[in-house]
Amino acid sequence: MTDFFAGIDPVTFDPNAADDLSYRHYDADELVMGKRMEDHLRFAVAWWHSFAWPGGDPFGGQTFERPWFGETMELAKLKADAAFEMFALLGQPYYCFHDADIRPEGADFAENTARLDEITDYMGQKMEAGGPKLLWGTANLFSHRRYMAGAATNPDPDVFAFAAATVKTCIDATKKLGGENYVLWGGREGYETLLNTDLAKEREQAGRFLCMVVDYARKIGFDGTILIEPKPQEPTKHQYDYDVATVYGFLKDFGLEGEVKMNLEQGHAILAGHSFEHELAMARALGIFGSIDMNRNDYQSGWDTDQFPDNVPEVARAYYEILQAGGFTTGGTNFDAKLRRQSLDPVDLIAAHVGAMDVCARGLKAAAAMIEGGELEAARAKRYAGWDAKADLLTSDLGAIAARVEKEGINPRPASGRQERLENILNRYV
Ligand code: XLS
Ligand code: NI
Ligand code: NI
């Protein structure tokens, strides 16, 4: 037991609360489209931003003072204690971690593995004592200097080997803790300059690496979902997993489109020049939607600012796509979001999550109402209705179509896209 969150009570649902540490909209048991809100949203807290991030920026270092900062296993356990204390206050059903968030870096692979085993045993006990479940685990293959030129895509085969061995241990740990997904975000899987890069070779390495991940996970009976988290740049100038469409091409190339799904992050979509809902809709269209990292990016900075979500209309459009994709199965809403570096107090961490969960709850409810209202989908269906009678065009050929256009006197009449009217409908819900 730490005293880090001393004086803060468990957060409860109270729509009329006077303080800022109550859920005003997130009522875990409220039914939305016949399903409990908790089961729709499947909230997860991210270990890295909440407990491992020191509050630095490119111009200054640590601002946060946390009693668990340091490189010993004892401190790693203290960090875990505080994490599970926060989970108990928030009552969210899941959490997520990287290996590097939960254990200090060891001298070599063997020590890393031993430490990972020890800390995940410790966390496992806390989970059994009523803590949240594990939404996903992942390996941090981007912070340590050995990965500066990539992990799977490194020109040095020893780095490839170290990364592969590390991922093996992280899949083992994720399985041990009952994780429902395993995530791969290729932070350094890209390049800075083509002058020193064999792009085709690196792509092949990344493909083989991913095949091995899938094979190993299946071999040990990990029945969770393997997820890739696309991101276009940052830290590397060009990343190979730019966006959903790019990753899909990559999966097809290596025969993995039926094995791997997407973990989509709002901020990454923005960096790729897309909206979050575009990425969600694309994943749905391709049958590879999996999970989300819910944050928001600053629209001016061009950087993955990982802020807690605060924009209900945006979040509503995201959940609208998610609901239409059938909702989450093994996936969930992971807050890959961090405090601003001036938000020093323990209570800031609680308030950030409470606010974000309320924003998501409002977004989900608005999205459900949009679906139940049905006007938007009816308008969309109407727009394509002409195809009902002419679906055979898609299996015809140009010569036959030309003859048909002439014979039937087909002469298209443009129709309104009704965008403003649809936006007006949307705005009634949000
Ligand atoms: C970084 C990513 C990272 C992944 C997990 O931008 O969002 O936090 O979610 O490695
Ligand atoms: Ni993320
Ligand atoms: Ni990110």
Side-chain angles (χ1 to χ4, degrees):
M1 187 76 193
T2 77
D3 61 359
F4 189 70
F5 294 108
I8 303 176
D9 294 326
V11 181
T12 54
F13 172 67
D14 177 359
N16 303 310
D19 67 324
D20 68 344
L21 294 181
S22 299
Y23 299 123
R24 288 179 169 70
H25 303 275
Y26 177 60
D27 176 6
D29 292 320
E30 182 182 331
L31 294 182
V32 175
M33 293 172 75
K35 188 163 151 185
R36 292 174 65 248
M37 237 200 271
E38 181 176 76
D39 301 332
H40 268 292
L41 292 162
R42 296 166 59 85
F43 286 131
V45 169
W47 202 284
W48 51 106
H49 289 319
S50 288
F51 306 109
W53 184 61
D57 74 7
F59 297 89
Q62 177 178 344
T63 56
F64 297 159
E65 288 170 343
R66 307 296 195 223
W68 55 82
F69 282 170
E71 295 299 305
T72 67
M73 283 303 288
E74 199 187 346
L75 289 171
K77 287 180 184 165
L78 184 68
K79 176 160 55 171
D81 293 343
F84 278 86
E85 283 161 20
M86 184 170 99
F87 301 160
L89 293 177
L90 291 174
Q92 95 288 353
Y94 291 97
Y95 74 99
C96 301
F97 70 84
H98 302 80
D99 53 352
D101 309 329
I102 57 174
R103 56 106 183 102
E105 184 75 22
D108 54 19
F109 173 69
E111 191 171 36
N112 278 349
T113 307
R115 288 178 170 187
L116 187 65
D117 283 347
E118 185 182 341
I119 194 73
T120 47
D121 282 346
Y122 190 72
M123 288 155 60
Q125 287 162 19
K126 290 174 177 290
M127 290 166 74
E128 270 168 32
K133 294 181 281 184
L134 178 61
L135 186 66
W136 48 264
T138 187
N140 178 329
L141 304 180
F142 45 89
S143 292
H144 193 280
R145 64 194 292 273
R146 75 172 71 86
Y147 298 122
M148 68 180 187
T153 61
N154 203 288
D156 178 354
D158 287 352
V159 179
F160 180 99
F162 200 100
T166 298
V167 167
K168 178 217 174 272
T169 65
C170 290
I171 298 174
D172 289 343
T174 300
K175 178 170 186 270
K176 179 173 88 179
L177 293 176
E180 299 187 22
N181 307 267
Y182 184 82
V183 164
L184 296 122
W185 170 59
R188 303 276 173 195
E189 313 296 19
Y191 66 89
E192 296 295 330
T193 173
L194 274 180
L195 296 175
N196 67 10
T197 301
D198 183 340
L199 191 149
K201 169 116 187 59
E202 294 199 359
R203 197 169 174 280
E204 178 73 20
Q205 287 173 211
R208 281 301 306 143
F209 192 95
L210 188 57
C211 290
M212 288 183 215
V213 168
V214 170
D215 286 349
Y216 181 74
R218 299 304 169 229
K219 195 180 113 198
I220 64 165
F222 174 72
D223 55 10
T225 309
I226 312 272
L227 298 166
I228 286 193
E229 186 175 322
K231 187 173 182 181
Q233 74 268 339
E234 194 233 89
T236 62
K237 165 87 179 134
H238 299 273
Q239 291 200 205
Y240 299 128
D241 52 357
Y242 193 98
D243 61 1
V244 171
T246 309
V247 174
Y248 188 68
F250 180 85
L251 294 177
K252 279 285 229 195
D253 210 1
F254 291 92
L256 295 171
E257 68 274 18
E259 301 283 350
V260 177
K261 291 191 159 59
M262 296 294 106
N263 183 41
L264 300 174
E265 177 164 321
Q266 192 269 7
H268 299 183
I270 304 303
L271 287 173
H274 300 308
S275 63
F276 194 20
E277 60 267 25
H278 166 88
E279 287 292 80
L280 293 162
M282 185 64 83
R284 174 191 171 204
L286 297 171
I288 53 172
F289 171 67
S291 198
I292 64 170
D293 275 6
M294 181 57 97
N295 52 27
R296 82 187 137 105
N297 257 22
D298 186 287
Y299 284 102
Q300 284 80 44
S301 75
W303 189 253
D304 195 7
T305 56
D306 285 334
Q307 291 169 254
F308 283 89
D310 74 341
N311 188 322
V312 175
E314 275 189 6
V315 167
R317 291 190 70 168
Y319 283 115
Y320 188 61
E321 296 301 328
I322 292 167
L323 289 175
Q324 309 232 49
F328 297 121
T329 51
T330 62
T333 303
N334 171 45
F335 291 116
D336 194 353
K338 57 181 181 250
L339 295 173
R340 299 304 87 192
R341 72 195 294 267
Q342 299 176 54
S343 303
L344 303 178
D345 300 338
V347 69
D348 292 325
L349 212 39
I350 306 292
H353 284 92
V354 169
M357 286 157 80
D358 266 351
V359 166
C360 290
R362 288 174 68 187
L364 174 78
K365 283 190 264 190
M370 280 154 66
I371 288 176
E372 282 165 343
E375 301 94 333
L376 291 169
E377 285 320 302
R380 195 199 308 265
K382 197 170 159 213
R383 189 157 182 248
Y384 291 87
W387 278 96
D388 293 349
K390 292 182 180 162
D392 58 321
L393 277 173
L394 294 180
T395 50
S396 187
D397 62 74
L398 295 190
I401 291 178
R404 180 168 168 186
V405 169
E406 202 170 310
K407 182 168 165 246
E408 295 178 18
I410 291 178
N411 197 2
R413 284 211 329 247
S416 172
R418 308 173 76 235
Q419 181 169 341
E420 295 78 6
R421 295 179 67 188
L422 297 172
E423 287 167 350
N424 292 349
I425 293 172
L426 176 92
N427 283 321
R428 274 186 239 145
Y429 289 102
V430 298

